[in-house]
Amino acid sequence: MIGPAEIDAAALSLAWIADAAAFAAPHPILGEEIEMAVVLKAGAQPQTALETTLTATRDALRPLLGYGRMPARIHVVQAVPRTPGGKLQRHLLAEQFSALPRAHAAPAADRAALAWPERPVARWVAGVWASVLDLAVMGADEDFFQSGGSSLQAAQAAALVQSRFPDQMLYVSSVYEAPTPDQQADFLSEHYPEITARILGETLRPDGGLTTLGEADQMRFAGLVRNPLGPHIAGKRLNPPAVFILSPPRSGSTLLRAMMAGHGALFAPPELYLLSHADLTAWRAWYGRAHASQLEGLPRAFMGATGCSADEAQAIVSEMERDNLSTADVYLRLQTAIGERLLVDKTPFYGVHPSVLTSAEATFERPIYIHLSRHPYGMIRSFDQARLGQLWWPRLTGPDGDPASPFASRQLAELIWTHIHANTVAFLEGVPAERQIHVRYEDLVRDPEAAARRLCATLGLAFDPAMLDPLADPSGRMTDGLRAGSRMIGDPKFHSHSAIDPRAADQWKTAYDQDFLSSRAGALANALGHTERVDDADERVEFDV
């Protein structure tokens, strides 16, 4: 979501670049990708060192733009075309270079001399990536992006790996975090041991069990979590009312959002991640290049609000980023675009920090809160299956934190569940009862109409039967991706369902052999009405031998 002007500015910040223009060039597979034309300053480098100059340019731009926004090809030109009035003519560059044969962007190594990785998993990864990048061979230490890969090809590579293992959920951020076959092999071994075992033809030994979390673990977790929101300064005026769904991840918030998006008086876009940041500069910086795809909810919201295209929506967001709008102003612009409809913001991250929750009261007039809870074992099981730790831990610790979580996936899920619910319960104690409602996921899937009617009553709306068909009209409910073929923001398996399934409430009951909740999580679960435990689950069948 960066405009060509920002890419131009990054190039012009380099001492040897006199002029620059980024442009969208046609691509036979991706449709289009970013390329750039540059004019070198006189005497900056002799012509014989042109390839060295281009390599230095790529190396200097990468930390400024991130892998996902890097031009796939950089062309040296005598002049950048402009109109007599000085306006860039990017389309002429696209026409000029579209007919050139596509050379790989990282030709420094002699490809004929390269060998496939020796490690079996790295070799397997290299084979998949080479097919995406159209390479004859890919070495163990070759960088995906320096080998010509684009952000869309990274998504294609992740999707191709997942297609081989459809029961796993692999995210595009994995390619950014581990961009060489050797690094990706280590990443899979750490985060996806099942995939690693199946590549090697081995049987994964079951987890031998984890100790119950104690107070020291919870204190350690709280100490590592960073707050992305500085001291909140209330604006001169409050934004119109809005609705916030407060829940941990994997608690049914995507389902609830899709149901609410079917109501004609509501506007429920994917995760916005706005409330947790003071302005759009902080919003962008917190997630970094590897997790930038998580911010596609905002342009998708403007697509839904205005009926514009993905490119036009991204241009709207890019303009707001250039102006560094406060998040309150971004909310107001979105609320203005949706007219009389009531905005519903579903972003599980908000509950991590009490200051973020209280900022809603300082930003909106009489906001309404939906506290959505799911049985902790149900949330933990779903979080673990979706491998959400690799997305949530960097989100919790911020761009300067250690990207490696010290907690096992199951432990991290329980810590997040406990932390968010404790914050939410404490916050809602200070909110008038008429502006809050508690909804249990289990009630939502077992009797969705009753839950929807309760919600409508709290919001002062008539019940809309369309709420009961959340899988209908993906475009209208914004349960599609920003672009054709891209993943939706939220539950990546949402469209694998055919209807609201009441059986989802009890799937955790066959997942665990014994109770492991900490005393704090157990007490909080009881207070929220989730009193059943593994030992007394009805679906468990035990035999005396």
Side-chain angles (χ1 to χ4, degrees), residues 283-545:
W283 174 78
R284 171 69 63 186
W286 188 262
Y287 298 93
R289 68 175 186 267
H291 300 276
S293 63
Q294 297 299 303
L295 302 182
E296 290 183 352
L298 184 58
R300 185 63 188 87
F302 276 99
M303 283 179 65
T306 66
C308 67
S309 68
D311 288 338
E312 291 168 333
Q314 287 192 324
I316 291 172
V317 174
S318 294
E319 180 184 2
M320 293 190 296
E321 287 193 69
R322 284 195 296 272
D323 296 338
N324 193 24
L325 260 62
S326 70
T327 51
D329 286 338
V330 178
Y331 272 122
L332 183 59
R333 185 171 296 189
L334 182 58
Q335 289 178 291
T336 301
I338 64 176
E340 297 298 318
R341 287 178 290 176
L342 185 61
L343 175 65
V344 179
D345 187 350
K346 167 262 195 211
T347 305
F349 185 52
Y350 294 162
V352 174
H353 302 285
S355 62
V356 174
L357 297 174
T358 56
S359 71
E361 291 287 298
T363 305
F364 297 89
E365 180 183 354
R366 294 180 56 80
I368 298 174
Y369 305 97
I370 302 171
H371 182 189
L372 177 64
S373 67
R374 183 180 188 178
H375 195 290
Y377 284 140
M379 177 271 182
I380 292 167
R381 172 183 175 274
S382 184
F383 184 99
D384 196 24
Q385 286 184 330
R387 298 295 189 269
L388 274 188
Q390 60 183 289
L391 296 182
W392 265 81
W393 186 252
R395 194 175 300 168
L396 292 168
T397 57
D400 299 324
D402 186 343
S405 168
F407 303 101
S409 175
R410 196 184 77 185
Q411 293 175 319
L412 180 60
E414 181 181 338
L415 288 164
I416 291 173
W417 186 95
T418 307
H419 189 81
I420 288 179
H421 278 308
N423 286 343
T424 301
V425 168
F427 166 69
L428 291 177
E429 287 177 352
V431 174
E434 65 270 17
R435 288 201 285 118
Q436 60 174 285
I437 180 175
H438 177 211
V439 177
R440 281 184 288 268
Y441 169 78
E442 293 76 14
D443 298 333
L444 183 67
V445 297
R446 287 170 179 154
D447 193 347
E449 181 172 343
R453 288 185 179 277
R454 285 185 62 225
L455 283 169
C456 289
T458 300
L459 300 177
L461 301 173
F463 169 68
D464 188 336
M467 297 176 71
L468 303 182
D469 192 7
L471 291 160
D473 188 17
S475 177
R477 296 179 192 241
M478 294 169 282
T479 57
D480 54 357
L482 180 63
R483 300 179 184 276
S486 62
R487 283 179 180 169
M488 65 176 287
I489 302 299
D491 182 358
K493 294 187 176 182
F494 180 76
H495 288 291
S496 66
H497 305 286
S498 58
I500 299 175
D501 187 358
R503 296 173 299 176
D506 299 316
Q507 287 176 341
W508 64 267
K509 295 180 179 179
T510 58
Y512 303 113
D513 294 323
Q514 60 184 11
D515 287 304
F516 56 80
L517 289 182
S518 66
S519 58
R520 186 181 184 214
L524 193 53
N526 290 340
L528 294 172
H530 304 289
T531 57
E532 197 169 15
R533 296 294 181 267
V534 171
D535 290 341
D536 52 23
D538 293 339
E539 280 72 9
R540 295 201 64 80
V541 179
E542 297 183 359
F543 298 91
D544 291 327
V545 179

Side-chain angles (χ1 to χ4, degrees), residues 50-70:
L50 183 59
E51 184 57 43
T52 301
T53 302
L54 289 175
T55 299
T57 302
R58 283 190 287 266
D59 290 344
L61 286 176
R62 193 165 290 113
L64 298 176
L65 298 173
Y67 283 115
R69 304 178 187 91
M70 276 292 294

